[in-house]
Amino acid sequence: MDNLYLLMLIAITILAVADIVVGVSNDAINFLNSAIGSKAISLRTIMIVASLGIFIGAVFSSGMMEVARKGIFVPGEFMFNEIMLIFMAVMITDILLLDFFNTLGLPTSTTVSIVFNLLGAAVVMSLIKISASDSETFADLTNYINTEKALEIISGILLSVVIAFTVGAIVQWFSRLIFTFHYQDKIKNFGILFGGVALTAITYFIFLKGLKGTPYYSELKDMVEGNELYIILGSLVFWTLFSYLFEKLTKKTVLLFVIAVGTFGLALAFSGNDLVNFIGVPMAAFHSYEAWASSGIDAASFSMEVLDKKVPAEPLLLFIAGGIMVLTLWFSKKAKTVAETEISLSRQGDTHEKFEPNRLSRSVVKGTTQLSKYFSVIVPESIQKSIGNSFTKPDVHLTKDQSIDAPAFDMIRAAVNLMVAGVLIAIATSMKLPLSTTYVTFMVAMGTSLADRAWGRESAVYRVAGVLNVIGGWFGTALGAFIASGIVVFLINWNPKVMTPILLLLTVVLLYRNYKSHKNSSNKTLSEDSLTKAESSSVQGVIQESATNIANVIKRGNRIYTNAIKGLALQDLALLKKNKKQVVKLTEEIDELRDNIFYFIKNLDESSINASNFYINILGYLQDMVQSLEYITKVSHKHINNNHKKLKFNQIKELKQVDDLVEALFTNSEEAFDSRSFERIGDILKNKKKAYDLVKEKIQKQVERTRTEESSPKNTTLYFSLLLETKDLLNATMSLLEEYHDSHDSSVEPATIPDSIDVIIEDDESEDKES
């Protein structure tokens, strides 16, 4: 049994490395988002600065390790064998939970995860001990759990969310009021003072307040305490002078330096506060094993009072952990996925919204809009106008895709994000209160976005829905961690020798599966059938440019229609289900093209209005085609999924004849557009009457069958629905072909809009290969 605990310690150590990797992938990227989003400095410089901050912060973090040892439970109430089971359960559930959020690309809190993992495992282990005792009852649970400290930690985490959002919004509002969005001129006058204040706040709170939570503070204590005011004033003078010299010598704004120092400081604060989440439990397990091994006492009798004592810092372990964090920061692909979420929610301009609005987000937006109207009545119009001028954004015409490639926000907001988040985290660290750095950085970013009016009427419901989803995920983290760790510790306690290796193997399998899933989604190759946005400024240019899109829609539409008929004939539910996914994907892509109409028209000159009319018309016909395909696919799937009667042989035979006609029409059209042989469209249109007559004939036959022999109302409804929707599909297709045939003029040279950016809407290549 002794070897079991040694193996557990080794497993916990290995899990600690994995925990750092999955934790940093989610948590660490939060302090890079401001620098990345503003694009003020290069990504390489950002990574180097952040790496230095992490290394130094890791060495400063030993004062926080007490949380894992005695912050949640009372160590003296547990024996060594029980504490090892708690630590093992915590590490397993922590890794799986964080990796799950990384795969989804949602930022969550490693602090909340570790706190509720410890709480859940400790509570269940306490209940197991109480149930085995004759003298203890459920009321004695408080003897095992450090309720006062646990509540202090949990309330601190929740309070930090509100404070971070509020402080971020207020500071950003005043900063924008002073500097406006046209800050380039005002920064010359006030930038030096702003730089001095920002750098003073960052350095004082992070380097001095942050030091208070470390063992190195005792050496500086006499020099710092009682002299805080002088230090602040001295720092303000020094940094203001430095800002002046920086701008004079480099001819660049001091905001660049503020963002770099802010990123460094936030990385340092993150590492100092959050390293406990990754190695606090393994270090506590190591000290527990060390004390037990030297005692010679049985594991079930050795009390863990040793964890109540001060433990020496382990500089080497802290240094190694810092190194792993830095390597993860450089090489983790999942970190980039998490970064996209926060940056897209705080982006000043338009973006491809990641979240769909829900009832709650709509209610919040409507409520705040109504509240804003009430305030507008109270505040004098002259003041509103003056404030509004400060928030007037530069009038720059960009396509949605150019907007996404541009910086998500300016350097003023980036500097405020870093300054406020760094200060709040450093204050908590100095109080040895493990608040969530994720919650603070995320909510500061959301608060500054709100104050900056980044959440306009066009995007508010999407952004608010995103924030609510992320916050909901945080509560999910807490609840999931508590329940999961409790279940795992119960299973391990039931049979440690059997369940420990099984759960470790399950952890490895799930991590590998998530890794493969994320890798596959990240490495999707662009499909040959993907659709591209039009950038031309003339009718002939749009014709040439959109021909590939039309060919791809027709090709994919042909496949979708054929699979619907084939799925009905064979009663193949799997094929119809896959067909539904394909048509949804195609619908989304055409919706994306439609959403780009505003930007397409904005970039046209007065002489190119006909191009916009043509573009709008063809998008309308494409949408009609896809709506018909979507309906055909939906009713076919519904019929088979509900296990209704199979279509009769004659009905399937007639549908196959219609399918052959549609396939021939679509194949010829696809070839014409692929080869840019628009003259061939005239020949295809000659078969228009033949196509309509065939569908009309099949409808008439079904009418006759219904009167004489048909006995299934469901079959009749389905068959008529398919034929009528096929007729609509043919109508939309023929109208599209006629639009091209009438508008094409081979003698005119196509014109294009210069300096455009093509963005590909990806299609799932694996789905496109379905025959």
Side-chain angles (χ1 to χ4, degrees):
M1 194 70 176
D2 293 358
N3 289 335
L4 175 65
Y5 298 119
L6 178 60
L7 292 173
M8 276 189 174
L9 183 62
I10 294 169
I12 287 172
T13 305
I14 295 169
L15 289 172
V17 176
D19 201 28
I20 291 174
V21 172
V22 297
V24 172
S25 296
N26 193 293
D27 237 11
I29 199 66
N30 289 288
F31 61 74
L32 298 181
N33 285 339
S34 293
I36 294 171
S38 66
K39 297 190 176 181
I41 47 183
S42 68
L43 184 60
R44 182 182 177 84
T45 305
I46 294 168
M47 297 295 278
I48 292 170
V49 168
S51 299
L52 290 171
I54 284 177
F55 258 127
I56 296 169
V59 178
F60 283 175
S61 69
S62 58
M64 293 292 296
M65 295 300 164
E66 294 178 28
V67 174
R69 292 185 294 109
K70 59 181 181 179
I72 302 300
F73 52 82
V74 180
E77 295 294 328
F78 295 93
M79 300 301 118
F80 172 70
N81 62 329
E82 296 162 346
I83 217 79
M84 288 299 286
L85 299 187
I86 288 173
F87 289 154
M88 176 62 76
V90 167
M91 293 306 294
I92 288 173
T93 50
D94 194 52
I95 289 171
L96 292 178
L97 196 65
L98 293 177
D99 193 61
F100 172 71
F101 275 89
N102 288 350
T103 305
L104 292 179
L106 289 175
T108 191
S109 169
T110 54
T111 307
V112 168
S113 180
I114 201 73
V115 165
F116 279 90
N117 273 316
L118 283 166
L119 188 60
V123 166
V124 170
M125 183 57 75
S126 302
L127 292 174
I128 291 171
K129 286 171 67 69
I130 290 169
S131 65
S133 171
D134 295 329
S135 58
E136 291 183 315
T137 64
F138 182 76
D140 294 308
L141 183 63
T142 53
N143 296 332
Y144 295 90
I145 305 301
N146 188 350
T147 50
E148 185 180 345
K149 185 65 176 177
L151 287 172
E152 181 188 346
I153 291 169
I154 294 166
S155 61
I157 290 169
L158 294 174
L159 193 61
S160 68
V161 172
V162 180
I163 292 173
F165 185 84
T166 307
V167 174
I170 292 170
V171 174
Q172 178 61 33
W173 191 84
F174 280 106
S175 298
R176 187 62 69 194
L177 193 66
I178 295 167
F179 292 102
T180 76
F181 278 99
H182 305 272
Y183 64 91
Q184 289 81 0
D185 294 329
K186 290 204 173 186
I187 206 74
K188 293 175 184 177
N189 302 320
F190 301 103
I192 293 168
L193 183 60
F194 181 81
V197 172
L199 291 169
T200 299
I202 291 169
T203 52
Y204 175 75
F205 283 105
I206 291 175
F207 297 120
L208 295 179
K209 284 289 187 183
L211 279 171
K212 192 177 284 187
T214 72
Y216 308 100
Y217 181 70
S218 56
E219 300 172 18
L220 303 169
K221 187 176 180 180
D222 295 334
M223 186 175 69
V224 174
E225 289 187 1
N227 298 314
E228 286 88 349
L229 183 60
Y230 297 112
I231 292 172
I232 292 171
L233 291 173
S235 297
L236 182 61
V237 172
F238 172 79
W239 285 119
T240 303
L241 182 62
F242 175 87
S243 301
Y244 173 78
L245 292 173
F246 180 88
E247 292 197 347
K248 285 293 180 185
L249 295 174
T250 63
K251 305 299 180 186
K252 294 180 179 178
T253 174
V254 74
L255 291 177
L256 292 171
F257 188 76
V258 171
I259 290 169
V261 172
T263 301
F264 172 82
L266 203 54
L268 185 145
F270 156 79
S271 186
N273 188 282
D274 277 21
L275 189 59
V276 62
N277 301 335
F278 312 128
I279 68 168
V281 168
M283 285 182 73
F286 171 72
H287 291 131
S288 301
Y289 182 83
E290 194 177 40
W292 169 74
S294 60
S295 70
I297 303 173
D298 181 61
S301 306
F302 184 70
S303 173
M304 281 287 92
E305 289 178 350
V306 66
L307 291 181
D308 270 325
K309 300 175 184 176
K310 268 279 186 184
V311 294
E314 303 283 353
L316 180 61
L317 290 177
L318 295 173
F319 185 80
I320 291 170
I324 296 170
M325 291 171 83
V326 170
L327 290 173
T328 303
L329 193 65
W330 279 85
F331 297 108
S332 173
K333 289 185 178 180
K334 287 188 178 181
K336 297 178 180 64
T337 309
V338 177
E340 289 170 7
T341 300
E342 183 179 317
I343 292 174
S344 67
L345 288 175
S346 57
R347 183 175 290 278
Q348 192 68 46
D350 293 301
T351 185
H352 299 303
E353 302 295 348
K354 190 174 181 179
F355 298 92
E356 288 298 319
N358 52 51
R359 185 177 295 178
L360 185 56
S361 71
R362 293 187 187 99
S363 300
V364 169
V365 171
K366 287 175 183 175
T368 50
T369 303
Q370 197 64 38
L371 197 63
S372 175
K373 288 179 181 177
Y374 292 145
F375 277 113
S376 65
V377 175
I378 300 169
V379 179
E381 194 172 333
S382 57
I383 296 177
Q384 289 185 49
K385 188 175 180 181
S386 178
I387 293 171
N389 291 336
S390 295
F391 288 86
T392 303
K393 300 175 184 67
D395 190 19
V396 180
H397 293 306
L398 295 174
T399 67
K400 181 182 282 191
D401 306 311
Q402 288 170 332
S403 176
I404 290 168
D405 280 348
F409 37 79
D410 60 20
M411 288 190 283
I412 296 289
R413 175 130 64 99
V416 171
N417 282 348
L418 292 164
M419 177 175 65
V420 173
V423 166
L424 291 175
I425 291 167
I427 290 172
T429 304
S430 69
M431 296 167 65
K432 294 187 180 179
L433 188 67
L435 90 173
S436 167
T437 56
T438 302
Y439 291 7
V440 170
T441 50
F442 181 83
M443 293 310 293
V444 166
M446 296 305 102
T448 57
S449 303
L450 178 67
D452 239 4
R453 302 184 181 179
W455 299 354
R457 293 291 288 270
E458 299 290 323
S459 61
V461 287
Y462 303 99
R463 306 283 175 92
V464 172
V467 173
L468 292 173
N469 274 331
V470 172
I471 293 174
W474 296 346
F475 285 102
T477 301
L479 186 63
F482 184 88
I483 294 171
S485 61
I487 292 171
V488 171
V489 81
F490 176 81
L491 292 173
I492 296 176
N493 182 72
W494 176 54
N495 195 328
K497 288 185 177 179
V498 174
M499 294 309 301
T500 301
I502 289 175
L503 289 168
L504 287 172
L505 180 63
L506 181 64
T507 302
V508 172
V509 170
L510 289 174
L511 286 175
Y512 179 75
R513 193 186 72 170
N514 287 346
Y515 165 75
K516 290 294 291 181
S517 171
H518 187 270
K519 186 179 180 182
N520 291 338
S521 63
S522 299
N523 295 339
K524 275 184 182 177
T525 54
L526 295 179
S527 167
E528 61 178 358
D529 293 343
S530 58
L531 306 185
T532 57
K533 294 185 177 72
E535 301 286 355
S536 295
S537 62
S538 69
V539 174
Q540 302 310 313
V542 175
I543 286 175
Q544 293 291 336
E545 202 174 78
S546 61
T548 303
N549 275 352
I550 303 302
N552 288 337
V553 171
I554 289 173
K555 176 183 175 182
R556 291 161 68 180
N558 191 7
R559 183 168 57 244
I560 289 166
Y561 188 87
T562 298
N563 285 343
I565 303 304
K566 184 179 177 182
L568 271 175
L570 300 176
Q571 291 194 302
D572 188 340
L573 188 61
L575 177 60
L576 292 171
K577 191 174 181 180
K578 192 165 188 177
N579 216 33
K580 275 184 74 176
K581 290 181 180 178
Q582 288 184 339
V583 79
V584 167
K585 181 80 171 169
L586 183 57
T587 302
E588 287 172 354
E589 292 189 29
I590 289 175
D591 285 344
E592 283 282 351
L593 295 181
R594 187 195 61 195
D595 291 344
N596 194 56
I597 288 175
F598 171 82
Y599 305 97
F600 174 76
I601 295 172
K602 274 282 187 183
N603 283 284
L604 293 174
D605 54 37
E606 289 296 329
S607 61
S608 306
I609 300 301
N610 286 339
S612 63
N613 289 334
F614 176 79
Y615 189 56
I616 291 166
N617 287 340
I618 62 170
L619 284 181
Y621 297 137
L622 287 178
Q623 196 164 27
D624 290 344
M625 289 172 66
V626 173
Q627 283 173 351
S628 294
L629 289 168
E630 188 174 18
Y631 182 80
I632 289 167
T633 303
K634 186 178 77 173
V635 295
S636 302
H637 177 268
K638 181 181 177 183
H639 188 86
I640 301 302
N641 196 35
N642 288 341
N643 205 32
H644 294 314
K645 281 185 181 179
K646 186 179 179 180
L647 291 177
K648 292 186 176 181
F649 176 77
N650 285 339
Q651 290 174 319
I652 293 172
K653 182 181 176 183
E654 289 171 9
L655 284 175
K656 189 68 181 82
Q657 290 172 355
V658 174
D659 179 37
D660 290 341
L661 180 141
V662 171
E663 186 169 6
L665 170 66
F666 278 16
T667 301
N668 291 335
S669 301
E670 181 193 342
E671 289 172 358
F673 282 103
D674 261 338
S675 61
R676 304 297 193 275
S677 304
F678 300 109
E679 297 81 7
R680 291 175 55 185
I681 293 176
D683 296 330
I684 298 169
L685 288 170
K686 290 176 183 176
N687 295 317
K688 179 178 176 180
K689 187 175 184 303
K690 178 183 174 183
Y692 287 153
D693 287 346
L694 180 65
V695 175
K696 189 177 178 181
E697 176 193 330
K698 302 307 177 190
I699 292 173
Q700 185 58 39
K701 281 190 175 181
Q702 179 60 27
V703 170
E704 293 171 3
R705 269 198 300 268
T706 303
R707 290 176 62 82
T708 57
E709 59 187 78
E710 186 62 71
S711 59
S712 171
K714 297 290 184 185
N715 276 13
T716 303
T717 303
L718 173 66
Y719 193 75
F720 278 132
S721 297
L722 291 173
L723 290 177
L724 290 171
E725 208 59 48
T726 299
K727 188 178 178 182
D728 289 345
L729 175 64
L730 291 172
N731 270 330
T733 306
M734 292 300 179
S735 298
L736 177 76
L737 295 174
E738 286 169 353
E739 186 75 33
Y740 270 90
H741 184 258
D742 296 341
S743 301
H744 177 248
D745 186 348
S746 58
S747 64
V748 178
E749 185 71 22
T752 59
I753 298 172
D755 301 324
S756 60
I757 299 173
D758 288 332
V759 173
I760 307 255
I761 306 168
E762 293 182 8
D763 183 38
D764 189 337
E765 186 176 41
S766 62
E767 289 183 2
D768 283 344
K769 289 181 179 176
E770 178 67 27
S771 62

